[in-house]
Amino acid sequence: MSDNPSPYEFDESAEMTAVVTLADLRQGRRQAKDRHLLIRARGAQLGHVTKLGPEPLRVGRSQECELWLNDDGVSRKHAVLRREGPAYVIEDTQSANGTFVGGQRIESVVLRDGDLIQFGPQAVFRYSLADENQETLLRQLYEASVTDALTGANNREHFDSQLRVELSYAKRHSTDVALVLFDVDHFKRVNDTHGHTVGDDVLIEIARIARGMIRGEDVFARYGGEEFALILRGIDLKGAHIVGERLRSRIADTAIPTGAGPLQITISVGCATIREAPESTAEVLLQTADKRLYSAKRNGRNRVASSE
């Protein structure tokens, strides 16, 4: 281990609750701690759990890496973790900004339970030994942290993080990514007429329908209030319009079950893709999809707009 300290500061007290609660979990019935975990402690996907297996785990910005990181300052092939006997060794693979364990820059070191690992200036993980129950709880805590409690969709914070990840991926690999925004037509009228409980019933059912129509790699989130968002990897504008139309049609044809009886609900949809403006930021893509969403509303609602 090198004597060169990390130039990046990290406040351990700011780590997510999931990591902190491992100490509490260990007070319970002990099982064999045969699971070696990397738990995201700072940056995107805070609290995300990666289980280490017998094969080497490559870390970096390259698509070839098993643990792909989009953080600034992470090299394409930054580091590798490999099993040696009962332990794991982490090795820096000539990264530009260094790999740090316990605040010290390293070339290669055997990891110990609880070690903080830092890849470049922002990507921080904790290496932890855990039993089956602990791993399950950590994964549940992470899922709860990125999920909207009412609808079961991802929350806005997770959406914002994933949109930037997907845009970076699309730009690096010259692929497309689509953003679909939709919201419930006349939702205020539903709340004013039937009450907020019925409004909640509507949002829950619409989210259930949307989740059943998307791929595993797509991101579905509650963007705010009665508005939802889809991030579609590898989908062009025509494909995004088709997805939006299928969703619009399915919801329009469904009698939404609520406490006030079945309601006929419609949505308006706006679509945009990165290929339309390859240098677009997440903010620009959101603005484009949002303008098209409101274009759909101005033109009568219950429709999909993929141009202005």
Side-chain angles (χ1 to χ4, degrees), residues 26 57 64 87 91 97 129 154 158 168 183 185 194 199 261 307:
R26 288 174 182 138
L57 181 82
E64 299 175 358
E91 176 185 347
N97 294 306
L129 298 177
N154 290 136
H158 183 70
S168 178
D183 76 359
D185 295 330
H194 303 288
S307 62

Side-chain angles (χ1 to χ4, degrees), residues 53 62 79 137 201 208 213 251 269 285 293:
S62 169
L137 180 55
D201 291 340
R208 186 195 67 78
M213 297 179 65
I251 291 171
V269 185
L285 191 64
L293 166 60

